[in-house]
Amino acid sequence: MLDPTTQRQIELFLFEEARLLDSGDFQGWLKLYEPQGIYWMPSKPGQTDPLNVASIIYEDHGILSIRVQRLLEERALVLTPMPRTTHVVGNIEAEPAGQEAGEAAFKVGATFICIVHQGDKQTLYSGRHSYDLVRSGEAFRIKMKRVALMNSDATHAPMTIPL
Amino acid sequence: MIEPHALDIPTADDIRGLVRPDHVHRRAYADPAVFQLEQERIFGRLWIYVAHESQVKKPGDFVRTRLGGHEVLVTRGEDEKINVLINRCPHRGARLCMVDQGTSRLFSCPYHAWVFKPDGSLSSVPHRQSYPASFDLNDPINHMQRIKQIQTYRGFIFATLNENPAPLLNHLGAMTEVIDNLVDRAPDGEVEMGESYFSVEYRGNWKLHMENAADIFHPSFVHASSVMPARKAPANASILDQDQTREMLLANGFGFKEWEGIQLNGLPGGHAYMTNIYSNGVLVQKEADTIATQYRAALVAKVGEERTAEILGMNRFNNIVYPNLIINAQYQQMRVATPIAVDRTLVRIYCFRLKGAPDEMFHRSVRFLTTLGSPASMIFSDDIEMLERCQQGLSKDEGPWVDFSRGFDSDRRDANGMLSGAASEMPMRVQFQAWLNYLTAEAA
C-alpha cells in the first residue's frame, strides 16, 4: 500500500484531469500525458491486443493532439453545440510500479461515470480507468490510460469528449 | 413497431410521384409507410448480405444479424451447410439467441426447453409424453423458421426472403469485381473477417448513409475539422501507426484539383463505385513502404508479377452494392447499413485479414477501421451529424423536394451504366432510379 500522501497526490491528479476535461481545457489535459503517452479505449471487454483488434480509440500523443485541436476547432460539426460533461472518478486504488527512467512509477485503477450533455441529449458512460503514471517533480504524467467502457462492445452513437 | 396493416401502403403511383429525374420528395426519407414498403420490396425481395463464411467456419458457429424485418441467425450445420434461421422459438415465440456470435451445438429455448440443432430442426422437447401423439419433432412447423434462399459468392453469404429470386449473380452484376478484387488481394486467395467490428447507430434514414458513401463532394466541407489539424500536425509525430491516421484525415482534404480524373460509375440495380481515387496524392502508396513491399512480394510469389499488378491496380474507393453493402477492397473494409426504422439505422463496420499477407497489413486494416468507423472516429462522427441533421430537416413538411441535380447535364451513359465526374450526384440518381423500380415492381 502507498503512503497516504502519495495516494492523496494521485487522487488529486485524477481529479485535476477530470476538471480539465469538464472545463474544456483539452490542451491542458493533453499536457498531463508523456510525450509518448497513449490513450486507449478498447472495443471489447478484456481486450489486450490493440493491433489485431480494433479499438474505439488507440492514440498516442501525436494523434491525440490532432483530436484535441479538432475539439477546439470551430468547424467540428459534431461539436455544435459544444457538449458539456461531468466526469466523476472514484474508488481510486494506486500501487507502486517500480521506476521509470529514475522516476517512481505507479499503477492506478479507478471507476468513472461521465455524463455528456449536448443540446437536449444526455448520454451516460461508465467503466473503469487504468493508468500507468510516472512522477514528474511534484506532479505526475500519464504513460498509458486505458478506458474500459462497461458497454465497450455495444452499439454506440458518436462519442466526442474523451472520457 | 408499427404493424404493416396499420399504415396505408403507398401505391406505385404514389411512389412514382416521389422521384423526379433530379429531385426526390422528403417522404422517401421520412414517411413510415414508405419505409414499410421498402422493407417489403427491397429488404424483403433483394439479395441481402448476411454474413461471411469465415465467421461460421465450424458446425455450430453462428452470427446474429438482420434480414428485412427479421432477426436471423446464420449458422453452420452439422452437415457443414449454411443456414439462415429466424431467431425465434416456434413454440411460444421467444427470442432464442441473445448474443451476436458464438458457437453452440444446440440452441435451447430457456422457457419450456425446446432444443434445436444448428440447422433449426427440433432435437428434443422435455416430457415428450405430455405432447399429443400427433406432435412430430420432424414437422417443420416445430422447427426454427428457415430462410430458404441462400447463396454465397466467394465467401460472402447473401440471403433473401424472396421465394423465387433471380440468381445472386444477376443481382450483383459487375459488382462481383470488387468482391473478387478483395479476395484476390490475399496471397492465399482467401480473406477472413477480423474478430472486431463496430456498431454505430444514427437517427436517420438508411438511404442517407448510402448516398453519403457515394458522395465525393462532401469530405472537404464536412471533414474540415479533422483536415485542418492534420495539416498543421507534424509528419510522423505518432509512433503507433506510421502516420496512417494523420494521412487518412489529410486525405479528406482533397478538393477540386484532386477530383480531376476520379470517375463515378452507376450501374443498373442501384450499384455504384468510384475509380482512380488513390492517385493525385490521395492516399497514394509511399515509395519506402516496407510493409507494402513485403506484401506485394508475397502476392507476386503466389500469382506472378503481371496478375499482381492487375490486382493491386484496381483503384477504387467505396463500392456500393445495392441496397446496403459497401466494400473498400484496398483497405479490406466493409460496411452494412441496416434500417431499423424510417429514422433509425444501424451501421456495422468490419475489416478483413488477407490470408498469406504480413500481419502488419492486417494491423493497417484494423487501424483504418478505427480511424474511419469507430464511434469516436474524427471522420464518421461528423458524417453522422450531417445525416441526422438531414433527417431532422426532412421530417418537417416545409420544402418537400430534395435536390439531386449536380452533374445532371454532364453525366454520360455507356453499355454498362452511367458515368460521371467526381462532383456529380449521379450515384444518388442511380440509387433512386433503382429504388423506384424495386418499389413499383408488382411481382417478386
Side-chain angles (χ1 to χ4, degrees), chain B residues 119-249:
Chain B
D119 66 0
S121 61
L122 184 58
S123 170
S124 66
V125 294
H127 209 250
R128 175 72 181 80
Q129 63 271 33
S130 65
Y131 289 84
S134 60
F135 185 85
D136 182 0
L137 289 178
N138 296 318
D139 185 342
I141 201 161
N142 296 323
H143 297 178
M144 291 172 71
Q145 204 177 320
R146 298 176 63 82
I147 306 301
K148 293 185 187 70
Q149 299 292 342
I150 305 166
Q151 287 186 17
T152 298
Y153 184 75
R154 298 198 72 180
F156 292 75
I157 307 166
F158 293 76
T160 177
L161 299 168
N162 189 339
E163 304 256 319
N164 294 298
L168 172 64
L169 285 178
N170 288 22
H171 174 66
L172 292 178
M175 298 310 283
T176 52
E177 287 170 14
V178 67
I179 296 177
D180 289 339
N181 188 247
L182 172 58
V183 179
D184 291 345
R185 280 172 187 264
D188 291 352
E190 215 177 312
V191 293
E192 196 167 62
M193 186 174 271
E195 64 166 295
S196 54
Y197 58 87
F198 292 111
S199 304
V200 177
E201 189 178 313
Y202 67 90
R203 293 266 166 188
N205 189 267
W206 65 278
K207 295 189 291 299
L208 294 168
H209 185 266
M210 304 314 291
E211 289 156 13
N212 196 59
D215 185 335
I216 300 279
F217 203 88
H218 79 274
S220 53
F221 311 112
V222 171
H223 304 306
S225 66
S226 51
V227 172
M228 301 311 275
R231 279 188 184 149
K232 285 183 217 155
N236 295 310
S238 167
I239 47 157
L240 279 185
D241 69 347
Q242 299 90 43
D243 231 16
Q244 185 183 341
T245 303
R246 190 184 66 90
E247 290 184 355
M248 283 180 67
L249 298 175

Side-chain angles (χ1 to χ4, degrees), chain B residues 212-367:
Chain B
N212 196 59
D215 185 335
I216 300 279
F217 203 88
H218 79 274
S220 53
F221 311 112
V222 171
H223 304 306
S225 66
S226 51
V227 172
M228 301 311 275
R231 279 188 184 149
K232 285 183 217 155
N236 295 310
S238 167
I239 47 157
L240 279 185
D241 69 347
Q242 299 90 43
D243 231 16
Q244 185 183 341
T245 303
R246 190 184 66 90
E247 290 184 355
M248 283 180 67
L249 298 175
L250 273 180
N252 277 317
F254 66 106
F256 307 149
K257 190 165 142 280
E258 287 84 2
W259 288 351
E260 299 292 329
I262 293 179
Q263 180 173 286
L264 307 184
N265 303 260
L267 301 178
H271 313 306
Y273 61 91
M274 37 197 77
T275 48
N276 296 328
I277 193 102
Y278 296 111
S279 50
N280 290 325
V282 183
L283 288 182
V284 72
Q285 192 194 314
K286 283 176 283 191
E287 278 170 28
D289 183 339
T290 49
I291 296 163
T293 307
Q294 277 174 33
Y295 159 62
R296 195 177 194 287
L299 193 55
V300 169
K302 288 287 173 76
V303 302
E305 177 58 44
E306 194 181 336
R307 181 74 186 119
T308 296
E310 200 174 277
I311 292 167
L312 300 183
M314 190 191 266
N315 180 10
R316 297 183 183 180
F317 190 62
N318 284 340
N319 296 264
I320 302 162
V321 180
Y322 202 84
N324 69 335
L325 178 66
I326 305 168
I327 296 173
N328 174 333
Q330 264 92 339
Y331 287 91
Q332 301 92 50
Q333 307 286 311
M334 183 173 80
R335 288 187 182 213
V336 182
T338 302
I340 308 291
V342 68
D343 58 355
R344 276 179 63 201
T345 304
L346 172 68
V347 186
R348 285 228 164 123
I349 308 137
Y350 307 86
C351 70
F352 290 94
R353 180 194 295 275
L354 301 174
K355 287 178 120 178
D359 289 345
E360 290 84 354
M361 285 294 289
F362 182 59
H363 300 164
R364 281 185 181 178
S365 175
V366 165
R367 191 79 204 153

Side-chain angles (χ1 to χ4, degrees), chain B residues 43-84:
Chain B
F43 292 91
R45 284 188 187 168
L46 301 189
W47 287 104
I48 303 294
Y49 169 85
V50 289
H52 189 263
E53 280 190 341
S54 61
Q55 293 176 290
V56 285
K57 283 184 205 158
K58 313 182 297 293
D61 286 353
F62 67 88
V63 284
R64 187 175 66 162
T65 185
R66 279 171 184 269
L67 178 62
H70 301 289
E71 184 175 74
V72 296
L73 302 176
V74 180
T75 69
R76 173 86 65 179
E78 285 155 4
D79 57 0
E80 300 281 336
K81 286 199 181 116
I82 302 280
N83 308 281
V84 180

